[in-house]
Amino acid sequence: MKSWRSLAFLWLAYFCHGAPSCPDLCKCYPRRGEVVCNEVALMEYPSEGLSENTTMVTIQFTNITSVSERHLNATPLLEGLHLYSNHLRSLAPHLLRGVPRLNTLDLTENKLSDLPADVFSHAPLLNLVLKKNEIKIANGDWLQDNSTLTWLDLSGNRLTKVPVALLQKMPRLENLDLSNNHLEKIAPNSLDPLTRLERLNLQDNKLITLDAPALQNTGNLVYLFLSRNKLKRLPQNIFQGLTQIKALTLDDNQLSHIPEGLLDPLTSLDDEGLDLASNPWQCDGKVEYLWRWLQKNKTKVFVPETVTCAKPPSLAGRPVVSLTESELNL
């Protein structure tokens, strides 16, 4: 009897107050507070029809070109907004003012370039993904001081410089991805504010070298990715203090020698945590330090047989670790 009354009450509430609203062309999951608009012919952000109780919105593979503060005001409880692979070209100033609970914003693979001041202020963002856009300059005025961000992904853009002014707003940042840009150098002290940084991805850029002080205040780094750059040399003390590093990739660069003691601070490397493959190692007397380090730390290197000599011709293709003292003229 009680269960019948409960069902009758729910039926009455449903028809008195109406079914949970949902925007056209989208799917809504009221129990989860989630709305998904996937591969549909949307031209505008679907703010009409969104429930005020929505906490997660995913809009991907549509034709929307802009998002405004007014659009987001429809969902004041929003915590996650994923706008992957649309045609976004602009975002409104103070975009997040009406979503004071938003912690994750993903704008991957759009056409964003110039963004207004305070575009990411007002909300307690933890994760901001701007991957695969057309951003040339990441401005410091995007965020308020002392931002709560812990994860920033700017990979796949057109950056030529590290966004120093922006990074100064992020004392809590733990993950920074600047891969697949056009960075040619990391200015000294540009990463100094990031004392909590654990993961730094700089691969697929145009770095020729790293200045000695570049990583001096990033002692909490656990993962450092430098693959597929144009690194020709590294300062002797560039890794000084990086005692927490578990994985370091230096493959596909232009290294022919490394200085004595370069790898010694990396005492926490995981097994196969160091990748040195696809560099033009010159196997003469100057490679002695690398050779001896490999002898002692072979298990720390990812496929050590791929660390091979490019010169002299008599040793070309030989794994450095397989050489003998006489072959190196030691």
Side-chain angles (χ1 to χ4, degrees):
M1 188 70 172
K2 287 183 179 179
S3 84
W4 181 88
R5 287 179 179 175
S6 298
L7 287 171
F9 176 80
L10 290 173
W11 179 86
L12 184 63
Y14 184 89
F15 282 96
C16 287
H17 298 285
S21 60
C22 189
D24 294 339
L25 305 178
C26 299
K27 294 181 180 179
C28 296
Y29 307 90
R31 290 185 180 181
R32 303 202 303 258
E34 185 174 359
V35 177
V36 178
C37 313
N38 181 33
E39 294 188 88
V40 291
L42 277 179
M43 302 298 292
E44 294 185 357
Y45 189 91
S47 53
E48 293 186 10
L50 284 174
S51 167
E52 288 187 358
N53 296 322
T54 302
T55 58
M56 178 78 72
V57 172
T58 300
I59 301 173
Q60 52 189 7
F61 302 105
T62 75
N63 293 318
I64 63 173
T65 59
S66 64
V67 179
S68 70
E69 179 184 351
R70 177 182 59 82
H71 290 137
L72 300 188
N73 285 346
T75 50
L77 303 182
L78 196 64
E79 297 176 5
L81 177 58
H82 302 268
L83 301 174
Y84 179 91
S85 196
N86 295 287
H87 289 80
L88 291 174
R89 295 183 179 275
S90 65
L91 302 176
H94 305 286
L95 176 68
L96 308 181
R97 188 154 44 189
V99 282
R101 298 187 181 186
L102 191 73
N103 59 64
T104 298
L105 177 58
D106 187 344
L107 295 161
T108 298
E109 202 164 357
N110 281 282
K111 300 181 184 301
L112 299 171
S113 54
D114 298 321
L115 301 181
D118 290 310
V119 61
F120 303 126
S121 296
H122 308 297
L125 283 180
L126 298 176
N127 310 297
L128 176 58
V129 181
L130 292 162
K131 181 179 181 179
K132 292 186 178 179
N133 278 279
E134 299 173 6
I135 298 169
K136 294 181 179 179
I137 299 176
N139 290 317
D141 60 9
W142 290 354
L143 289 167
Q144 74 280 12
D145 291 337
N146 200 27
S147 164
T148 53
L149 270 182
T150 60
W151 185 295
L152 175 62
D153 188 342
L154 279 164
S155 64
N157 280 281
R158 301 180 183 180
L159 298 175
T160 57
K161 296 180 180 179
V162 173
V164 178
L166 185 64
L167 298 183
Q168 289 175 347
K169 303 284 187 75
M170 305 179 192
R172 306 178 195 182
L173 199 66
E174 297 174 1
N175 184 306
L176 176 60
D177 194 337
L178 296 173
S179 63
N180 196 22
N181 276 283
H182 304 293
L183 302 178
E184 295 183 358
K185 67 176 183 176
I186 307 297
N189 310 117
S190 60
L191 302 175
D192 283 3
L194 309 182
T195 56
R196 298 189 187 183
L197 196 65
E198 297 180 359
R199 189 182 188 97
L200 176 59
N201 192 343
L202 295 169
Q203 65 187 24
D204 292 293
N205 277 287
K206 299 179 180 181
L207 299 173
I208 296 174
T209 187
L210 295 173
D211 290 329
L215 303 173
Q216 66 181 1
N217 283 342
T218 57
N220 286 319
L221 271 181
V222 180
Y223 304 97
L224 177 57
F225 304 106
L226 293 164
S227 306
R228 295 181 295 281
N229 276 281
K230 298 182 179 181
L231 293 171
K232 293 184 177 181
R233 64 179 183 83
L234 292 170
Q236 185 176 30
N237 59 347
I238 186 64
F239 302 135
Q240 191 69 38
L242 301 187
T243 56
Q244 308 300 315
I245 290 281
K246 292 184 178 180
L248 169 63
T249 64
L250 287 164
D251 52 296
D252 284 283
N253 278 283
Q254 298 298 315
L255 296 171
S256 57
H257 298 104
I258 57 174
E260 181 103 14
L262 177 75
L263 304 175
D264 293 351
L266 306 178
T267 55
S268 296
L269 278 173
D270 283 342
D271 284 350
E272 300 188 347
L274 176 63
D275 195 342
L276 295 168
S278 301
N279 280 283
W281 299 107
Q282 185 165 337
C283 294
D284 53 19
K286 291 182 180 180
V287 84
E288 179 182 0
Y289 167 72
L290 175 61
W291 175 71
R292 293 193 185 280
W293 192 92
L294 289 172
Q295 300 290 334
K296 296 178 181 178
N297 300 279
K298 187 176 179 180
T299 60
K300 302 291 185 182
V301 182
F302 179 72
V303 193
E305 290 74 22
T306 61
V307 186
T308 58
C309 304
K311 294 179 181 180
S314 59
L315 297 177
R318 284 278 303 278
V320 174
V321 72
S322 73
L323 301 177
T324 64
E325 289 189 3
S326 60
E327 286 174 316
L328 292 173
N329 296 320
L330 301 182

mmCIF file with all atom_site columns, all heavy atoms in Angstrom, residues 150-164:
data_model
loop_
_atom_site.group_PDB
_atom_site.id
_atom_site.type_symbol
_atom_site.label_atom_id
_atom_site.label_alt_id
_atom_site.label_comp_id
_atom_site.label_asym_id
_atom_site.label_entity_id
_atom_site.label_seq_id
_atom_site.pdbx_PDB_ins_code
_atom_site.Cartn_x
_atom_site.Cartn_y
_atom_site.Cartn_z
_atom_site.occupancy
_atom_site.B_iso_or_equiv
_atom_site.pdbx_formal_charge
_atom_site.auth_seq_id
_atom_site.auth_comp_id
_atom_site.auth_asym_id
_atom_site.auth_atom_id
_atom_site.pdbx_PDB_model_num
ATOM 1   N N   . THR A 1 150 ? 45.580 23.189 -11.069 1.00 0.00 ? 150 THR A N   1
ATOM 2   C CA  . THR A 1 150 ? 46.626 22.184 -10.853 1.00 0.00 ? 150 THR A CA  1
ATOM 3   C C   . THR A 1 150 ? 47.039 21.516 -12.170 1.00 0.00 ? 150 THR A C   1
ATOM 4   O O   . THR A 1 150 ? 48.073 20.857 -12.220 1.00 0.00 ? 150 THR A O   1
ATOM 5   C CB  . THR A 1 150 ? 46.141 21.091 -9.879  1.00 0.00 ? 150 THR A CB  1
ATOM 6   O OG1 . THR A 1 150 ? 44.987 20.439 -10.428 1.00 0.00 ? 150 THR A OG1 1
ATOM 7   C CG2 . THR A 1 150 ? 45.789 21.696 -8.523  1.00 0.00 ? 150 THR A CG2 1
ATOM 8   N N   . TRP A 1 151 ? 46.236 21.689 -13.207 1.00 0.00 ? 151 TRP A N   1
ATOM 9   C CA  . TRP A 1 151 ? 46.514 21.025 -14.504 1.00 0.00 ? 151 TRP A CA  1
ATOM 10  C C   . TRP A 1 151 ? 46.257 22.033 -15.623 1.00 0.00 ? 151 TRP A C   1
ATOM 11  O O   . TRP A 1 151 ? 45.159 22.570 -15.757 1.00 0.00 ? 151 TRP A O   1
ATOM 12  C CB  . TRP A 1 151 ? 45.582 19.823 -14.662 1.00 0.00 ? 151 TRP A CB  1
ATOM 13  C CG  . TRP A 1 151 ? 45.837 18.975 -15.882 1.00 0.00 ? 151 TRP A CG  1
ATOM 14  C CD1 . TRP A 1 151 ? 45.702 19.345 -17.187 1.00 0.00 ? 151 TRP A CD1 1
ATOM 15  C CD2 . TRP A 1 151 ? 46.254 17.616 -15.915 1.00 0.00 ? 151 TRP A CD2 1
ATOM 16  N NE1 . TRP A 1 151 ? 46.005 18.301 -18.026 1.00 0.00 ? 151 TRP A NE1 1
ATOM 17  C CE2 . TRP A 1 151 ? 46.350 17.218 -17.270 1.00 0.00 ? 151 TRP A CE2 1
ATOM 18  C CE3 . TRP A 1 151 ? 46.549 16.682 -14.922 1.00 0.00 ? 151 TRP A CE3 1
ATOM 19  C CZ2 . TRP A 1 151 ? 46.725 15.943 -17.658 1.00 0.00 ? 151 TRP A CZ2 1
ATOM 20  C CZ3 . TRP A 1 151 ? 46.928 15.390 -15.319 1.00 0.00 ? 151 TRP A CZ3 1
ATOM 21  C CH2 . TRP A 1 151 ? 47.021 15.032 -16.663 1.00 0.00 ? 151 TRP A CH2 1
ATOM 22  N N   . LEU A 1 152 ? 47.278 22.292 -16.441 1.00 0.00 ? 152 LEU A N   1
ATOM 23  C CA  . LEU A 1 152 ? 47.145 23.187 -17.592 1.00 0.00 ? 152 LEU A CA  1
ATOM 24  C C   . LEU A 1 152 ? 47.728 22.506 -18.818 1.00 0.00 ? 152 LEU A C   1
ATOM 25  O O   . LEU A 1 152 ? 48.894 22.125 -18.831 1.00 0.00 ? 152 LEU A O   1
ATOM 26  C CB  . LEU A 1 152 ? 47.872 24.514 -17.346 1.00 0.00 ? 152 LEU A CB  1
ATOM 27  C CG  . LEU A 1 152 ? 47.896 25.488 -18.536 1.00 0.00 ? 152 LEU A CG  1
ATOM 28  C CD1 . LEU A 1 152 ? 46.488 25.921 -18.926 1.00 0.00 ? 152 LEU A CD1 1
ATOM 29  C CD2 . LEU A 1 152 ? 48.769 26.703 -18.220 1.00 0.00 ? 152 LEU A CD2 1
ATOM 30  N N   . ASP A 1 153 ? 46.909 22.377 -19.859 1.00 0.00 ? 153 ASP A N   1
ATOM 31  C CA  . ASP A 1 153 ? 47.337 21.750 -21.112 1.00 0.00 ? 153 ASP A CA  1
ATOM 32  C C   . ASP A 1 153 ? 47.210 22.778 -22.241 1.00 0.00 ? 153 ASP A C   1
ATOM 33  O O   . ASP A 1 153 ? 46.113 23.145 -22.639 1.00 0.00 ? 153 ASP A O   1
ATOM 34  C CB  . ASP A 1 153 ? 46.468 20.529 -21.406 1.00 0.00 ? 153 ASP A CB  1
ATOM 35  C CG  . ASP A 1 153 ? 46.989 19.710 -22.589 1.00 0.00 ? 153 ASP A CG  1
ATOM 36  O OD1 . ASP A 1 153 ? 47.798 20.247 -23.374 1.00 0.00 ? 153 ASP A OD1 1
ATOM 37  O OD2 . ASP A 1 153 ? 46.578 18.544 -22.727 1.00 0.00 ? 153 ASP A OD2 1
ATOM 38  N N   . LEU A 1 154 ? 48.369 23.236 -22.738 1.00 0.00 ? 154 LEU A N   1
ATOM 39  C CA  . LEU A 1 154 ? 48.433 24.160 -23.869 1.00 0.00 ? 154 LEU A CA  1
ATOM 40  C C   . LEU A 1 154 ? 49.109 23.501 -25.061 1.00 0.00 ? 154 LEU A C   1
ATOM 41  O O   . LEU A 1 154 ? 49.614 24.188 -25.960 1.00 0.00 ? 154 LEU A O   1
ATOM 42  C CB  . LEU A 1 154 ? 49.194 25.426 -23.473 1.00 0.00 ? 154 LEU A CB  1
ATOM 43  C CG  . LEU A 1 154 ? 48.402 26.484 -22.689 1.00 0.00 ? 154 LEU A CG  1
ATOM 44  C CD1 . LEU A 1 154 ? 49.349 27.475 -22.024 1.00 0.00 ? 154 LEU A CD1 1
ATOM 45  C CD2 . LEU A 1 154 ? 47.426 27.214 -23.597 1.00 0.00 ? 154 LEU A CD2 1
ATOM 46  N N   . SER A 1 155 ? 49.119 22.208 -25.107 1.00 0.00 ? 155 SER A N   1
ATOM 47  C CA  . SER A 1 155 ? 49.800 21.485 -26.178 1.00 0.00 ? 155 SER A CA  1
ATOM 48  C C   . SER A 1 155 ? 49.110 21.706 -27.516 1.00 0.00 ? 155 SER A C   1
ATOM 49  O O   . SER A 1 155 ? 47.914 22.001 -27.586 1.00 0.00 ? 155 SER A O   1
ATOM 50  C CB  . SER A 1 155 ? 49.861 19.993 -25.848 1.00 0.00 ? 155 SER A CB  1
ATOM 51  O OG  . SER A 1 155 ? 48.558 19.439 -25.790 1.00 0.00 ? 155 SER A OG  1
ATOM 52  N N   . GLY A 1 156 ? 49.875 21.569 -28.588 1.00 0.00 ? 156 GLY A N   1
ATOM 53  C CA  . GLY A 1 156 ? 49.304 21.639 -29.925 1.00 0.00 ? 156 GLY A CA  1
ATOM 54  C C   . GLY A 1 156 ? 48.824 23.016 -30.332 1.00 0.00 ? 156 GLY A C   1
ATOM 55  O O   . GLY A 1 156 ? 47.884 23.139 -31.110 1.00 0.00 ? 156 GLY A O   1
ATOM 56  N N   . ASN A 1 157 ? 49.478 24.075 -29.815 1.00 0.00 ? 157 ASN A N   1
ATOM 57  C CA  . ASN A 1 157 ? 49.146 25.434 -30.207 1.00 0.00 ? 157 ASN A CA  1
ATOM 58  C C   . ASN A 1 157 ? 50.305 26.046 -30.997 1.00 0.00 ? 157 ASN A C   1
ATOM 59  O O   . ASN A 1 157 ? 51.092 25.310 -31.600 1.00 0.00 ? 157 ASN A O   1
ATOM 60  C CB  . ASN A 1 157 ? 48.791 26.265 -28.971 1.00 0.00 ? 157 ASN A CB  1
ATOM 61  C CG  . ASN A 1 157 ? 47.364 26.019 -28.513 1.00 0.00 ? 157 ASN A CG  1
ATOM 62  O OD1 . ASN A 1 157 ? 46.418 26.555 -29.076 1.00 0.00 ? 157 ASN A OD1 1
ATOM 63  N ND2 . ASN A 1 157 ? 47.196 25.192 -27.479 1.00 0.00 ? 157 ASN A ND2 1
ATOM 64  N N   . ARG A 1 158 ? 50.428 27.370 -30.979 1.00 0.00 ? 158 ARG A N   1
ATOM 65  C CA  . ARG A 1 158 ? 51.476 28.039 -31.767 1.00 0.00 ? 158 ARG A CA  1
ATOM 66  C C   . ARG A 1 158 ? 52.365 28.908 -30.887 1.00 0.00 ? 158 ARG A C   1
ATOM 67  O O   . ARG A 1 158 ? 52.879 29.937 -31.323 1.00 0.00 ? 158 ARG A O   1
ATOM 68  C CB  . ARG A 1 158 ? 50.820 28.886 -32.863 1.00 0.00 ? 158 ARG A CB  1
ATOM 69  C CG  . ARG A 1 158 ? 49.945 28.068 -33.815 1.00 0.00 ? 158 ARG A CG  1
ATOM 70  C CD  . ARG A 1 158 ? 49.302 28.929 -34.878 1.00 0.00 ? 158 ARG A CD  1
ATOM 71  N NE  . ARG A 1 158 ? 48.418 28.166 -35.754 1.00 0.00 ? 158 ARG A NE  1
ATOM 72  C CZ  . ARG A 1 158 ? 47.745 28.699 -36.762 1.00 0.00 ? 158 ARG A CZ  1
ATOM 73  N NH1 . ARG A 1 158 ? 47.838 30.006 -37.018 1.00 0.00 ? 158 ARG A NH1 1
ATOM 74  N NH2 . ARG A 1 158 ? 46.958 27.944 -37.519 1.00 0.00 ? 158 ARG A NH2 1
ATOM 75  N N   . LEU A 1 159 ? 52.555 28.490 -29.661 1.00 0.00 ? 159 LEU A N   1
ATOM 76  C CA  . LEU A 1 159 ? 53.366 29.262 -28.726 1.00 0.00 ? 159 LEU A CA  1
ATOM 77  C C   . LEU A 1 159 ? 54.830 29.254 -29.136 1.00 0.00 ? 159 LEU A C   1
ATOM 78  O O   . LEU A 1 159 ? 55.386 28.211 -29.465 1.00 0.00 ? 159 LEU A O   1
ATOM 79  C CB  . LEU A 1 159 ? 53.232 28.686 -27.318 1.00 0.00 ? 159 LEU A CB  1
ATOM 80  C CG  . LEU A 1 159 ? 51.835 28.707 -26.674 1.00 0.00 ? 159 LEU A CG  1
ATOM 81  C CD1 . LEU A 1 159 ? 51.871 27.984 -25.338 1.00 0.00 ? 159 LEU A CD1 1
ATOM 82  C CD2 . LEU A 1 159 ? 51.340 30.133 -26.509 1.00 0.00 ? 159 LEU A CD2 1
ATOM 83  N N   . THR A 1 160 ? 55.455 30.422 -29.087 1.00 0.00 ? 160 THR A N   1
ATOM 84  C CA  . THR A 1 160 ? 56.895 30.513 -29.336 1.00 0.00 ? 160 THR A CA  1
ATOM 85  C C   . THR A 1 160 ? 57.663 30.816 -28.056 1.00 0.00 ? 160 THR A C   1
ATOM 86  O O   . THR A 1 160 ? 58.883 30.705 -28.024 1.00 0.00 ? 160 THR A O   1
ATOM 87  C CB  . THR A 1 160 ? 57.198 31.616 -30.370 1.00 0.00 ? 160 THR A CB  1
ATOM 88  O OG1 . THR A 1 160 ? 56.665 32.864 -29.907 1.00 0.00 ? 160 THR A OG1 1
ATOM 89  C CG2 . THR A 1 160 ? 56.576 31.271 -31.713 1.00 0.00 ? 160 THR A CG2 1
ATOM 90  N N   . LYS A 1 161 ? 56.933 31.199 -26.995 1.00 0.00 ? 161 LYS A N   1
ATOM 91  C CA  . LYS A 1 161 ? 57.563 31.505 -25.715 1.00 0.00 ? 161 LYS A CA  1
ATOM 92  C C   . LYS A 1 161 ? 56.756 30.869 -24.589 1.00 0.00 ? 161 LYS A C   1
ATOM 93  O O   . LYS A 1 161 ? 55.532 30.725 -24.693 1.00 0.00 ? 161 LYS A O   1
ATOM 94  C CB  . LYS A 1 161 ? 57.647 33.014 -25.482 1.00 0.00 ? 161 LYS A CB  1
ATOM 95  C CG  . LYS A 1 161 ? 58.536 33.751 -26.472 1.00 0.00 ? 161 LYS A CG  1
ATOM 96  C CD  . LYS A 1 161 ? 58.565 35.250 -26.166 1.00 0.00 ? 161 LYS A CD  1
ATOM 97  C CE  . LYS A 1 161 ? 59.454 35.992 -27.153 1.00 0.00 ? 161 LYS A CE  1
ATOM 98  N NZ  . LYS A 1 161 ? 59.466 37.456 -26.868 1.00 0.00 ? 161 LYS A NZ  1
ATOM 99  N N   . VAL A 1 162 ? 57.442 30.529 -23.525 1.00 0.00 ? 162 VAL A N   1
ATOM 100 C CA  . VAL A 1 162 ? 56.750 30.053 -22.334 1.00 0.00 ? 162 VAL A CA  1
ATOM 101 C C   . VAL A 1 162 ? 55.923 31.208 -21.770 1.00 0.00 ? 162 VAL A C   1
ATOM 102 O O   . VAL A 1 162 ? 56.430 32.321 -21.633 1.00 0.00 ? 162 VAL A O   1
ATOM 103 C CB  . VAL A 1 162 ? 57.758 29.556 -21.283 1.00 0.00 ? 162 VAL A CB  1
ATOM 104 C CG1 . VAL A 1 162 ? 57.059 29.224 -19.969 1.00 0.00 ? 162 VAL A CG1 1
ATOM 105 C CG2 . VAL A 1 162 ? 58.506 28.336 -21.812 1.00 0.00 ? 162 VAL A CG2 1
ATOM 106 N N   . PRO A 1 163 ? 54.645 30.985 -21.451 1.00 0.00 ? 163 PRO A N   1
ATOM 107 C CA  . PRO A 1 163 ? 53.778 32.076 -20.959 1.00 0.00 ? 163 PRO A CA  1
ATOM 108 C C   . PRO A 1 163 ? 54.077 32.423 -19.503 1.00 0.00 ? 163 PRO A C   1
ATOM 109 O O   . PRO A 1 163 ? 53.322 32.063 -18.589 1.00 0.00 ? 163 PRO A O   1
ATOM 110 C CB  . PRO A 1 163 ? 52.377 31.490 -21.132 1.00 0.00 ? 163 PRO A CB  1
ATOM 111 C CG  . PRO A 1 163 ? 52.558 30.021 -21.009 1.00 0.00 ? 163 PRO A CG  1
ATOM 112 C CD  . PRO A 1 163 ? 53.906 29.718 -21.622 1.00 0.00 ? 163 PRO A CD  1
ATOM 113 N N   . VAL A 1 164 ? 55.163 33.170 -19.288 1.00 0.00 ? 164 VAL A N   1
ATOM 114 C CA  . VAL A 1 164 ? 55.665 33.445 -17.938 1.00 0.00 ? 164 VAL A CA  1
ATOM 115 C C   . VAL A 1 164 ? 54.617 34.146 -17.085 1.00 0.00 ? 164 VAL A C   1
ATOM 116 O O   . VAL A 1 164 ? 54.368 33.769 -15.932 1.00 0.00 ? 164 VAL A O   1
ATOM 117 C CB  . VAL A 1 164 ? 56.959 34.288 -18.003 1.00 0.00 ? 164 VAL A CB  1
ATOM 118 C CG1 . VAL A 1 164 ? 57.443 34.620 -16.609 1.00 0.00 ? 164 VAL A CG1 1
ATOM 119 C CG2 . VAL A 1 164 ? 58.031 33.539 -18.783 1.00 0.00 ? 164 VAL A CG2 1
#
